[in-house]
Amino acid sequence: MSALATAAAQDHHEDHGHHHKQTFITKYIFSTDHKMISKQYLITGILMGIVGIMMSVLFRMQIAWPEESFAIFNLLLGDKWAPDGVMTPAMYLSLVTIHGTIMVFFVLTAGLSGTFSNLLIPLQIGARDMASGFMNMLSYWLFFISTIIMLSSLFIESGPANAGWTIYPPLSALPQAIGGSGMGMTLWLISMAIFIASQLLAGINYIVTVINLRTKGMSMMRLPLTVWALFVTAIVGLVSFPVLLSAALLLIMDRSFGTSFFLSDIYLQGEVLNHQGGSPVLFEHLFWFLGHPEVYIVILPAMGLVSEIMATNSRKPIFGYRAMVASLLAIAFLSTIVWGHHMFVSGMNPFLGSVFTFTTLLIAIPSAVKAFNWITTLWKGNLQMNPAMLFSIGFVSTFITGGLTGIILGDSTLDINVHDTYFVIAHFHLVMGISALYGAIAGVYHWFPKMFGRMMNKNMGYIHFWVTAVGAYGVFFPMHFVGLAGLPRRYYTNTAFPYFDDLADVNVIITVSAIITAAIQVVFLYNFFVSIFYGKKATQNPWKATTLEWTTPVAHIHGNWPGPVPVVYRWSYDYSKMNEKGTDYVVPGQDFVPQNVPLQEHEEELNH
Amino acid sequence: MTVFLVIIILALLAVTGWQMSKIFDLSRGPGADSSPIANDKDNRQQAQITLAFMVFLYLGMAYSFWHWSKLYLPEAASEHGNEIDTLMFISIGIIMTVQVITQALLHWFVYKYQGRKGKKALFFADNDKLEFIWTIIPVITLAGLIIYGLFTWSDIMNISEEDDPIIIEVYAKQFSWEARYAGGDNTLGEANVRFIEGINTVGVNENDPYASDDKITSELHLPVGQKVLFKFRSQDVLHSAYFPHFRAQMNVVPGMVTQFAFTPDITTEEMRNSDYMVDKVSTINDIRKENSEALMAKGEAPLDSYEFDYFLLCNKICGEAHYNMQMKIVVETEEEYNAWLSEQETFAETMEK
Ligand code: HEM
Ligand SMILES: [Cu+2]
Ligand SMILES: [Cu+2]
């Protein structure tokens, strides 16, 4: 497939200057246009999201009604994995594993930052396209291939990978230990290796584009926070993904070539394995050296989108722009030195635990600053309650709720007893999963007119938001208490311990909320797909925003601006700025000043 | 209870559906607002719903704490466990305070500053003093928590062998636990998976003189008030030895010996008789009775009634039966412990058979 891609791209290059000659294939499939690639990422991400969330509904049903028979299990999973409609333990673990993998990597890494980096970086910095359109296309198609491989692993005889999304060896290395570690894990590793290649290509491209292709006047401190966030995300990805790749390669060698990087002293099924001298703890270090930054790769873009959407819809500048940038950088830096908080009880030296507690609680500070700045952005605003705004407010709410419990998990002493329980599941779903999804959805509602030239229906947006908001808290708030009761995660059922019988009610509430939350997403999907074709036609700048993407025409053209690229004279947050005498806005009668409007007479550019 | 909740949720769903169809009708009718952009009416309505949502959030949190706080584990059954619990309650107190304040501000501002045509927002881009304040407050609070936490952490994790702890090996494999007591010399014999053979299931070196008095058991008995140092070993994949009631946990790593020490201070008997446990066990038995009736109606065997025992569970995914890898723990008086231990077979005796 990539050979084909190369050929198509070369054609396209020779084609330069005659874009009217584009065929269906170069326009919609092997496109090198950043706007089209962004849509490809978005649609792929949405489809993967449907799969991932469906999986969570299935395994949640097993938890709430353990070992009960459901026709839908049998229908979707087949006789092998759900004989008589009862889910098998191996399938439960596979669903959990693939759910986690899909949501973290395919939906919230590729889907979220792929969509918005591609769409917004060139448009908001005033560039005609990405630095390398070809690399950009390659990155999407590698991502696409990796999703196909991951999905194909669902259909193989020995079952998909089921050692958890963290794939700790030895479990993930030894097919004798669990069925999914055979062919399923091989496919998982191949898929992730290709995925990482795709992310690295994309990341380099984003970074180069931001550094080199900013239009005249667009200094770094005039960049919208979206671009800042996407830029920093790409750097974090570039630093951490190669480490995961090396961990995956070493694991592949242990699995297939008899090396012993992670394996030692193992006796399985009546025989001692040859592996000697490796350490699973080493794998944990490598995995979490990516794994922790990964959660910031997921959340930083959402933070950027939310900052932008909040300022626009509050008709106010984002509060504390410099602090927002500084905290992004601080979070990005600190995120690479906190990985050990996933390993307090892994057997590593307790002194290291102290160090990681310290760095982890440090990272709470820039995060707190961000939360306060968002809240202050609302203060004395003129809030326009568009669906994107609601999701942004929802983001701040879940980010706070989920972030606060991080203070408990980051404290090595307290982590001893809640590590790997449902408390952790509750924490990271609120702070990373739900928040990032809210950010992504907010982005979709906000930039839909830019992507598709039409508007989404706001009333459906309102219903979508409120049911989701109630449902998501309904799933994840009660889950804290299940965790504090000592219930471990990744348990097929907890009926093996009568001690946990009194958690049954809470588990039912959680599952019913999950079903409702998942079901209401249909309203979103309907709104999304129908609006692409039948939505109201968008105007050029529907949200009255200041950033450059809204200076491009509604219809997409190659190169973005029909005339010269706009020149930038101010930062991107001149909302409700008054003229010198305080009698009217800077531009009379208009409460925003786009970035390409020169400073007015007597107007001062604040020193942000 | 469950049925009741499901009914409530279904009812909510029905209301949602009804509301939804109403909204669609409204947006279709003549004179309906068909703009895809929020207008003053939307701003007002959504702001009101936000306020209602805030009420829901607070009621939800209050309900959760009211009804489910009791799910928190019983009083810690180990000496260090009480320190962990104290720190836990302080932390929960702090974060819930912050939660209540910040969520209130967030939702209240949304309500208070709802958009209206012609209203002017305040151009407020920066304020160093404010930002300094909300940087410094978390710094101070977190510094306090870190210092408290780290002292407790090093107390728990730095094990001095000076106070002569009882040494017990906890041995993990798919999907069961075994315990190995070090015997009269309180020293464990050498062990490695390569020694596993026949009845020597945990791989103890028969030629090591320290090994002969080791005792391998399938239950973990601990004398109350005495420090125990656990050495963990796994023969196959990662496991995690999780003792929730003792606030203790350590991963069990093949190829490596990990350790954790604690002093149990509540016997099984005392725990069973505590108000907390009496209450919990009776709730559980009510639930089990109800479930048993349902089972018997289907012609299946009823569930046993439940009596509390401490347990060890596996808390690191280790295979298909990970969810059922448990070992009973008994905390008892020293005499009972000694009596039990003396009945156990030594490793040498086992191997002679
Ligand atoms: C309706 C939405 C969702 C529900 C109901 C849900 C539910 C769950 C539950 C209950 C688990 C724990 C299962 C277990 O340990 O046995 C889990 C695992 C996980 N979820 Fe979700 N989740 C949802 C959405 C998301 C999102 C948006 C993300 C994105 C970050 C995500 C990422 C993960 C990850 C990484 C795991 C860990 C998988 C593992 O243990 O290997 N989930 N999910
Ligand atoms: Cu982390
Ligand atoms: Cu285990």
Side-chain angles (χ1 to χ4, degrees):
Chain A
M1 186 166 282
S2 59
L4 221 116
T6 321
Q10 275 162 358
D11 284 348
H12 184 77
H13 263 267
E14 282 151 25
D15 219 33
H16 236 351
H18 322 263
H19 293 294
H20 49 280
K21 273 203 199 142
Q22 279 193 346
T23 64
F24 179 83
I25 295 207
T26 56
K27 178 144 185 241
Y28 292 104
I29 301 182
F30 296 113
S31 168
T32 56
D33 185 285
H34 71 103
K35 301 183 288 301
M36 183 56 69
I37 294 176
S38 144
K39 288 192 238 180
Q40 292 173 327
Y41 267 112
L42 179 59
I43 306 258
T44 317
I46 289 180
L47 295 178
M48 291 305 275
I50 295 172
V51 177
I53 290 186
M54 275 301 292
M55 288 177 161
S56 72
V57 170
L58 295 182
F59 67 69
R60 260 327 301 185
M61 285 169 70
Q62 155 64 21
I63 289 295
W65 300 288
E67 291 162 273
E68 258 178 54
S69 164
F70 290 100
I72 181 142
F73 286 180
N74 191 267
L75 183 75
L76 292 175
L77 306 174
D79 285 334
K80 173 144 192 228
W81 302 113
D84 300 322
V86 179
M87 186 186 291
T88 62
M91 191 26 81
Y92 177 86
L93 293 178
S94 289
L95 288 174
V96 170
T97 302
I98 305 294
H99 158 79
T101 309
I102 286 184
M103 295 312 287
V104 172
F105 293 112
F106 293 72
V107 179
L108 293 177
T109 302
L112 172 57
S113 84
T115 303
F116 291 103
S117 296
N118 273 302
L119 181 71
L120 297 179
I121 291 180
L123 284 173
Q124 291 195 331
I125 66 173
R128 295 216 183 263
D129 205 321
M130 283 290 179
S132 163
F134 172 67
M135 247 162 81
N136 208 15
M137 177 193 77
L138 204 60
S139 132
Y140 171 74
W141 284 103
L142 287 176
F143 164 56
F144 184 79
I145 293 169
S146 76
T147 62
I148 297 299
I149 296 177
M150 188 61 75
L151 290 178
S152 70
S153 80
L154 300 175
F155 300 98
I156 60 178
E157 178 66 27
S158 55
N162 51 6
W165 81 284
T166 50
I167 57 155
Y168 284 178
L171 188 62
S172 61
L174 306 171
Q176 310 92 299
I178 194 167
S181 292
M183 189 62 183
M185 182 54 69
T186 305
L187 290 175
W188 194 98
L189 288 166
I190 294 173
S191 164
M192 282 309 297
I194 298 175
F195 179 86
I196 293 169
S198 134
Q199 289 310 296
L200 294 179
L201 282 180
I204 293 172
N205 219 346
Y206 303 152
I207 294 172
V208 173
T209 308
V210 174
I211 293 179
N212 285 338
L213 298 186
R214 280 170 290 134
T215 179
K216 185 152 177 277
M218 183 63 94
S219 63
M220 289 306 272
M221 291 316 272
R222 281 181 183 163
L223 283 177
L225 286 171
T226 29
V227 176
W228 261 112
L230 295 166
F231 175 62
V232 172
T233 304
I235 296 176
V236 175
L238 221 50
V239 170
S240 53
F241 267 117
V243 181
L244 180 64
L245 185 62
S246 53
L249 290 178
L250 297 183
L251 184 55
I252 288 174
M253 293 205 237
D254 274 8
R255 288 165 52 82
S256 309
F257 305 113
T259 56
S260 308
F261 292 103
F262 307 129
L263 309 177
S264 190
D265 295 321
I266 294 170
Y267 177 93
L268 253 180
Q269 295 181 346
E271 59 173 337
V272 177
L273 306 187
N274 280 328
H275 300 280
Q276 185 64 35
S279 166
V281 179
L282 171 64
F283 180 88
E284 294 177 37
H285 281 297
L286 293 175
F287 181 87
W288 286 112
F289 188 86
L290 160 92
H292 190 85
E294 172 59 27
V295 310
Y296 288 96
I297 292 173
V298 162
I299 202 70
L300 293 179
M303 288 177 167
L305 301 177
V306 163
S307 302
E308 184 66 26
I309 294 169
M310 272 204 155
T312 306
N313 285 293
S314 302
R315 317 306 301 156
K316 272 187 70 189
I318 189 81
F319 180 75
Y321 176 85
R322 268 175 307 156
M324 290 305 241
V325 173
S327 56
L328 270 179
L329 294 171
I331 290 176
F333 170 70
L334 289 172
S335 78
T336 58
I337 53 166
V338 299
W339 77 90
H341 62 213
H342 299 272
M343 300 171 58
F344 287 137
V345 294
S346 65
M348 77 178 178
N349 186 323
F351 173 71
L352 276 180
S354 313
V355 175
F356 283 119
T357 296
F358 180 70
T359 54
T360 302
L361 296 190
L362 272 190
I363 213 170
I365 296 164
S367 311
V369 169
K370 287 194 112 50
F372 286 125
N373 283 5
W374 284 314
I375 294 177
T376 313
T377 301
L378 301 177
W379 182 70
K380 296 210 169 169
N382 182 19
L383 308 193
Q384 305 300 310
M385 302 295 273
N386 290 301
M389 179 65 163
L390 285 172
F391 276 97
S392 303
I393 295 164
F395 168 96
V396 178
S397 175
T398 52
F399 182 72
I400 293 175
T401 311
L404 284 170
T405 50
I407 292 175
I408 289 179
L409 292 163
D411 192 326
S412 49
T413 310
L414 297 178
D415 188 56
I416 293 174
N417 219 52
V418 284
H419 177 75
D420 267 351
T421 65
Y422 271 93
F423 192 84
V424 177
I425 307 286
H427 156 73
F428 78 71
H429 276 86
L430 282 173
V431 74
M432 158 174 89
I434 298 301
S435 299
L437 266 189
Y438 281 2
I441 294 171
V444 171
Y445 278 106
H446 191 78
W447 279 285
F448 191 87
K450 194 74 258 160
M451 294 183 116
F452 298 102
R454 292 175 184 271
M455 308 290 286
M456 288 177 77
N457 179 301
K458 74 179 169 199
N459 290 325
M460 281 194 241
Y462 292 147
I463 293 166
H464 174 212
F465 175 71
W466 289 113
V467 180
T468 306
V470 172
Y473 268 122
V475 175
F476 295 111
F477 200 78
M479 211 180 263
H480 293 107
F481 295 87
V482 178
L484 290 173
L487 187 67
R489 67 194 278 203
R490 296 167 172 169
Y491 267 23
Y492 164 66
T493 164
N494 45 57
T495 48
F497 293 84
Y499 181 84
F500 294 128
D501 276 359
D502 55 352
L503 301 179
D505 284 344
V506 194
N507 272 325
V508 170
I509 294 179
I510 293 173
T511 299
V512 173
S513 306
I515 294 173
I516 294 174
T517 315
I520 202 71
Q521 305 312 311
V522 175
V523 174
F524 171 71
L525 294 176
Y526 176 87
N527 195 357
F528 181 84
F529 285 107
V530 171
S531 300
I532 292 180
F533 302 103
Y534 306 106
K536 260 204 153 44
K537 282 249 165 26
T539 53
Q540 192 182 6
N541 187 358
W543 318 117
K544 302 196 174 70
T546 55
T547 36
L548 293 184
E549 75 272 29
W550 306 105
T551 62
T552 60
V554 175
H556 283 182
I557 54 169
H558 205 82
N560 296 338
W561 286 270
V565 174
V567 174
V568 165
Y569 297 95
R570 53 179 75 241
W571 74 333
S572 58
Y573 297 103
D574 275 340
Y575 290 103
S576 302
K577 189 177 181 188
M578 304 299 279
N579 63 20
E580 181 202 14
K581 300 195 205 76
T583 48
D584 200 344
Y585 298 117
V586 169
V587 179
Q590 176 181 316
D591 68 352
F592 67 106
V593 196
Q595 284 190 278
N596 60 344
V597 173
L599 288 184
Q600 306 295 296
E601 219 176 311
H602 302 304
E603 187 191 352
E604 262 182 71
E605 190 188 9
L606 300 175
N607 200 12
H608 309 288
Chain B
M1 174 69 179
T2 315
V3 181
F4 177 65
L5 284 167
V6 174
I7 290 175
I8 289 192
I9 289 171
L10 288 179
L12 280 176
L13 204 60
V15 173
T16 322
W18 171 62
Q19 284 288 328
M20 216 150 98
S21 62
K22 222 174 85 179
I23 291 177
F24 285 142
D25 285 350
L26 280 179
S27 54
R28 233 176 258 131
D33 147 51
S34 58
S35 154
I37 298 170
N39 54 30
D40 281 3
K41 186 162 140 271
D42 297 315
N43 290 341
R44 195 173 55 249
Q45 263 177 5
Q46 296 306 312
Q48 284 163 350
I49 301 177
T50 306
L51 209 56
F53 182 76
M54 180 175 93
V55 174
F56 159 82
L57 193 60
Y58 283 105
L59 289 180
M61 290 194 293
Y63 179 92
S64 308
F65 272 94
W66 185 257
H67 283 271
W68 299 327
S69 290
K70 66 166 194 284
L71 296 180
Y72 191 80
L73 291 158
E75 187 192 345
S78 65
E79 278 175 6
H80 76 273
N82 297 312
E83 288 177 52
I84 292 191
D85 280 356
T86 312
L87 181 56
M88 179 67 104
F89 296 142
I90 294 175
S91 303
I92 292 181
I94 292 174
I95 68 179
M96 282 313 292
T97 312
V98 178
Q99 164 81 345
V100 167
I101 296 173
T102 49
Q103 300 285 353
L105 289 176
L106 176 70
H107 290 85
W108 177 249
F109 285 175
V110 173
Y111 178 74
K112 178 88 197 289
Y113 301 110
Q114 53 184 270
R116 245 180 307 108
K117 267 221 165 47
K119 183 163 147 184
K120 281 200 170 79
L122 177 71
F123 186 86
F124 183 51
D126 251 320
N127 184 318
D128 291 345
K129 205 157 131 201
L130 269 181
E131 287 174 83
F132 178 75
I133 293 175
W134 57 60
T135 312
I136 204 71
I137 293 180
V139 168
I140 294 172
T141 324
L142 288 170
L145 284 177
I146 289 178
I147 291 170
Y148 190 163
L150 290 186
F151 275 109
T152 320
W153 171 252
S154 48
D155 276 356
I156 297 170
M157 301 304 286
N158 293 337
I159 304 156
S160 77
E161 311 236 345
E162 273 162 34
D163 20 291
D164 248 340
I166 302 176
I167 293 184
I168 304 176
E169 177 179 87
V170 170
Y171 186 81
K173 62 173 166 230
Q174 284 183 334
F175 299 96
S176 62
W177 300 97
E178 275 166 294
R180 179 156 65 111
Y181 288 78
D185 54 12
N186 204 25
T187 307
L188 288 163
E190 190 204 355
N192 185 281
V193 286
R194 287 174 178 73
F195 296 115
I196 297 177
E197 203 178 354
I199 45 174
N200 184 2
T201 52
V202 306
V204 179
N205 180 358
E206 275 183 78
N207 300 325
D208 184 352
Y210 288 119
S212 54
D213 64 347
D214 290 2
K215 294 182 169 183
I216 298 162
T217 65
S218 58
E219 274 182 15
L220 189 57
H221 284 238
L222 307 172
V224 70
Q226 284 202 40
K227 186 157 188 167
V228 186
L229 172 56
F230 294 95
K231 303 266 180 186
F232 301 100
R233 213 153 57 81
S234 162
Q235 76 171 36
D236 40 34
V237 297
L238 286 169
H239 301 269
S240 186
Y242 180 33
F243 307 76
H245 303 98
F246 304 93
R247 313 293 189 264
Q249 172 162 216
M250 183 49 66
N251 286 2
V252 187
V253 184
M256 179 174 161
V257 176
T258 53
Q259 56 178 19
F260 199 102
F262 65 78
T263 311
D265 65 355
I266 300 180
T267 62
T268 300
E269 205 49 45
E270 285 163 351
M271 186 57 96
R272 278 182 188 162
N273 293 328
S274 68
D275 290 345
Y276 177 99
M277 204 47 80
V278 169
D279 197 44
K280 179 171 179 103
V281 169
S282 90
T283 311
I284 289 175
N285 277 326
D286 287 345
I287 295 171
R288 291 177 79 76
K289 214 192 270 144
E290 226 175 87
N291 293 348
S292 293
E293 276 158 22
L295 283 175
M296 287 192 306
K298 280 194 274 175
E300 290 171 37
L303 304 168
D304 305 331
S305 89
Y306 173 66
E307 183 175 41
F308 173 77
D309 263 308
Y310 293 120
F311 50 78
L312 168 65
L313 32 73
C314 178
N315 198 17
K316 186 63 77 193
I317 182 174
C318 63
E320 285 187 23
H322 166 56
Y323 67 92
N324 191 10
M325 176 164 161
Q326 44 180 312
M327 177 157 71
K328 180 168 148 184
I329 302 175
V330 179
V331 179
E332 55 201 357
T333 60
E334 185 147 15
E335 300 84 67
E336 289 166 323
Y337 168 75
N338 288 332
W340 173 81
L341 195 59
S342 63
E343 283 167 23
Q344 308 303 313
E345 208 171 59
T346 63
F347 178 65
E349 286 163 357
T350 312
M351 294 312 288
E352 268 161 32
K353 280 191 197 154

